[in-house]
Amino acid sequence: SSFSRRRDARPRSTRRHTCAMAMGRTARRRTCLASAASTAKSKKRSTKKAKEVPAPGLYQQTVKRSITRQGVGLHSGTSAVVRVRPAPAGQGRYFVRVPAGTIVDWPEDPYGFLDRGEDVLEEMGVEPEAFVQDMALEMDKVAHQKMTREEVEQMVREAEANGFADDVEDMYEQWEVEGDEDGEENESESIVPIDEESEPVLRANLDAVVEKPRLATTLGTGLGALSTVEHLLSALEACGVDNARIEFEGGPEVPLLDGSAKFWVKAIEEAGMQVAKTNQGKMVRRLTLQPDQYLCLKEGDAFIALYPDTTTRITCGVDFVAKAPVIGNQWHSWAPAQGLSYLEEVGLARTFCCKDDIQPMLDAGLIRGGMEGTALVADGDRWYNEHEVRYPSSEAARHKILDLIGDLSLLAEGGHAGLPHGHIVAFKTGHDMHIRFARMLREYCQGQSATGELEMVPADYKRKD
């Protein structure tokens, strides 16, 4: 080992506690905040303006400020960082792989733990290499802020001084409630112009899906490929982020996070939304496809169909009665026109699998980044991690809607909507059927036009009757 043997001047117990605290792994958690801090938090909550729930608008939209998230890919098991930035109207959503360090200037040992000696890590019961990687993942909430070691240590001191010593996340929550006192919340970030000649641009559309999707949807090929894009795209489509420059560095997958779209939606809420304008300063009406006939794709007893309508509704069903009775037969439906929250109805639902499928997937080189906190695991007539379940009778069906929205978002072109008008019903489907159905739908809509061009209608998702 090449670790330094320099010793920290503080007592060993203090060093160990600080390490554990910074990683969010204390042995005990406070049952409540100090009364003064709690009072201050409540006061801030009552005066802070509520965040507007993001949703599609009459005109194309984009985010006000960048969104950054860091985590591990489900199948690759490698760390990646994704940053969603504002983009002008008409550009749509596109990915750009950027050089390492472009998004996150994150030092290898930001807390200086390794400098304190290998014995400190041994006391914590972790391997040095695993510790550094795990630490980065646990602290992804501050990674994108490019904090220096001094700033991090200052954060820890402030946490101790404000009564949050047992849980740094309490301090994150306090900061979130306090918000920005100087009004920066209303400022919009400048837009980075697209340059397809000098940077590899990967459009989030059907033409970019070149591999047969299996357990995740992949865009592009080779070193420029990006997999497991469906949860991020689902959140962007449902929240009305029609135009976005999405930068990624690190691994070949979008981070799984908690297996749902929760953290993407929350990040969009914090960033804020704005009407996107073209480079000439014009707003663009948001449009979508509206097939005028029934369409259906079948495969055995699985199917996905669209019933013509002037608004959008998605209904999904799953059947695990024989394989996992705890899931059984589930159905769920979501319609934006009804005003039901995407986050509460769909976005919180986690990805899931059956316990018997885990080892075969590992043997196939898959789910190397899978952890208990990132997916629900069905074990016969019970959930292996029942405490993680959010919707006992419908979470699997809700998550299928989440996936389907992400895959159908690839129908989007030029900053318009990806979800078409119509009632889409899917049963026992996966990513491959979603993509094939989307291509069928696009082909039909092209044939529906006399010119072969896609004819679109205003996508306001509001019934007129």
Side-chain angles (χ1 to χ4, degrees), residues 415-437:
H416 294 297
L419 287 180
H421 282 174
H423 184 183
I424 301 168
V425 182
F427 179 64
K428 297 178 67 174
T429 58
H431 297 293
D432 179 46
M433 283 194 73
H434 297 168
I435 296 301
R436 285 190 285 137
F437 180 75

Side-chain angles (χ1 to χ4, degrees), residues 202-213:
L202 187 60
R203 295 282 179 182
N205 59 31
L206 287 174
D207 294 333
V209 184
V210 294
E211 296 182 7
K212 182 179 179 179

Side-chain angles (χ1 to χ4, degrees), residues 47-64:
T47 59
K48 184 177 176 64
K49 182 180 178 181
K51 296 285 184 182
E52 183 177 354
V53 177
L58 294 179
Y59 295 93
Q60 291 186 16
Q61 299 178 131
T62 189
V63 289
K64 281 187 178 181

